[in-house]
Structures are given as structure tokens and as C-alpha cells.
Amino acid sequence: MTDVNTTVPPALARALDLLIDPPAEPDVSKGYLDLLGNTADDAGPAKNIGPIQAAWASPLGSMLYDNAQAISRKLLAAWRLPIDWLNIPPGGIALDVGSGPGSVTASLARAAGPDGLALGVDISEPMLARAVRAEAGPQVGFLRADAQRLPLRDQTVDAAVSIAVLQLIPDPTATLSEIARVLRPGARLALMVPTAGRSAQLWKRLPNVGAHAFDDDEIGDILEDNGFTSVRTKNVATFQWVRAKRG
């Protein structure tokens, strides 16, 4: 077990024991575990430098996203998280990839029960700051990490979600492969992404604006290529829910 200082919040202390390479001196000074620091890793995964991602990553953008997300979840059935379907076991570990303001992460923790753990991963410091203020607790912790290179060990997670974030990741295929790696066999995954249908091919010809447009079969095909089974998709307006089980 990793020897951690008593100042590390309980959820993050548990998270340290799940990491591939836990830091000797964990940086939790901002309430989340920062695994990226201030140095740029030019050899690492691609970075999203488009204007859409830049806007969401700013303090103002994170606030606007938070408020828009709260309103949307009240009005749109497309935003309803299939908590029951995820079948998180009591005391299980759940992962929220691209956790934003943390409300989804907290709902995963409630489903896992008092002995469970929900971890939210995001790259945006303003988003993580909002998440820590609003949702951090004994069963809820947040990590600053790149979704294209998840810091968790193989087969350590009982359920995973990613809600409206894959379109902002430069290599969504790498992220889905990483989610497959960290999920235990039989674990379930729920995703929600905007979909452009046939118009996706036209969108992809445009200059980089920092957002990917998925066609209707794209996510499902990637998941099957990464060993997922029982892949199901459902389109609601311009959003697509995808459910799958890790084979």
C-alpha cells in the first residue's frame, strides 16, 4: 500500500493505490490529485488546442458549461445517466472520464455505496476546481490526468462513464482503448456524445476547431474493436448514448 501523508483526502489516498506509477509526493494542494503538473510532455498524447476546447477550459467557460449542463439535464432525456444499468457493485470503483464539474462523478459514488469510490478524471484545472468545491468527499476524488493515457492500473474499475467529452479529445480512439484497459471483465460502460450522422464526414474536412464529429456507427465500431460486447446505441436528437460491456 502506498504510504501517503495524512493531508491527502481519503478518496485520493485510495486512488493512489490504483495508479500505475503513484507519485512519491502527491500534489493535492488544490483538492485534486495533479498527475500532470506544469510541464508539457511533447512526447505524450496529442493536445487539443482548438478554440472550442480553449473556451471550455477557461474559468468563464467552465462556469458556463456547468450551468448549461445543469439546465440540460433537467430538460433533456438524452442526458439521463443509466445508473441502474451500470450495475456498480456495493463498494465498487467507478470512473468518470472527462468529469467536468463533478456531478456525474458524485452520482456514481452514491450508486457504489458508502464503501465505494468514484474517481473523476479531467485535464482542465478550472473544471477540477469547481468539481472539488461542489462534489469532493470521502468517496469522491478527482484526478488531473490525460484521458488518452489513464493513470490507473489494468482491470481496476467496475464501471465507467464519459458524458459529452470524447468529442473534445484529440484521439478518442486512444481514450476508449484506455477505458477498455482499466475496466474489469464484465464491467459496463456508458457514453454520451454528440453525433452528426452522415454530416460527420463533412465536419471532418473543416479546419480544426477543437471538436470531433462522430457518425452514427463510429463509437460502436471502436468499442467492438477493443473487446466490448453487447454494444447498443440510441440516438436522441443530436446526441448518441452508447452502452457496452467489457468482454
Side-chain angles (χ1 to χ4, degrees):
M1 178 175 290
T2 304
D3 183 17
V4 299
N5 189 284
T6 56
T7 59
V8 176
L12 297 181
R14 293 177 64 185
L16 285 168
D17 291 321
L18 303 174
L19 299 182
I20 297 171
D21 186 20
E25 297 182 2
D27 180 359
V28 295
S29 59
K30 298 177 182 177
Y32 53 83
L33 177 60
D34 192 340
L35 297 172
L36 297 178
N38 297 318
T39 58
D41 182 5
D42 294 333
K47 305 296 188 297
N48 189 336
I49 57 174
I52 293 177
Q53 173 63 11
W56 287 135
S58 69
L60 177 60
S62 68
M63 181 185 70
L64 293 174
Y65 176 87
D66 195 357
N67 293 336
Q69 188 184 63
I71 294 171
S72 297
R73 285 182 175 162
K74 292 179 181 178
L75 298 178
L76 298 177
W79 288 85
R80 292 177 185 166
L81 185 66
I83 285 287
D84 291 341
W85 179 86
L86 285 168
N87 197 33
I88 303 171
I93 298 170
L95 178 67
D96 182 6
V97 178
S99 50
S103 54
V104 169
T105 318
S107 69
L108 296 173
R110 289 190 291 271
D115 296 323
L117 175 66
L119 297 174
V121 171
D122 210 296
I123 200 169
S124 166
E125 293 182 87
M127 285 289 190
L128 287 163
R130 293 180 66 81
V132 168
R133 289 196 302 269
E135 305 292 356
Q139 287 83 42
V140 182
F142 296 95
L143 315 179
R144 183 169 178 251
D146 194 320
Q148 299 165 112
R149 186 183 288 173
L150 292 173
L152 302 175
R153 300 196 313 270
D154 295 359
Q155 298 184 12
T156 51
V157 175
D158 296 296
V161 302
S162 183
I163 309 300
V165 71
L166 282 175
Q167 75 278 4
L168 298 176
I169 295 174
D171 189 352
T173 299
T175 296
L176 293 173
S177 177
E178 280 290 274
I179 293 173
R181 179 183 63 79
V182 303
L183 282 175
R184 294 188 173 105
R188 298 183 178 190
L189 168 66
L191 306 169
M192 197 271 281
V193 296
T195 181
R198 295 180 180 178
S199 300
Q201 296 305 315
L202 176 61
W203 177 274
K204 292 172 184 177
R205 295 190 182 98
L206 297 175
N208 176 31
V209 295
H212 184 87
F214 296 98
D215 66 38
D216 288 343
D217 298 324
E218 189 171 355
I219 294 291
D221 289 346
I222 296 171
L223 291 177
E224 289 178 348
D225 289 344
N226 279 277
F228 283 90
T229 63
S230 303
V231 178
R232 300 289 184 269
T233 63
K234 180 180 180 180
N235 288 7
V236 182
T238 59
F239 296 99
Q240 183 181 71
W241 271 109
V242 185
R243 302 181 183 187
K245 296 179 183 179
R246 185 70 175 96

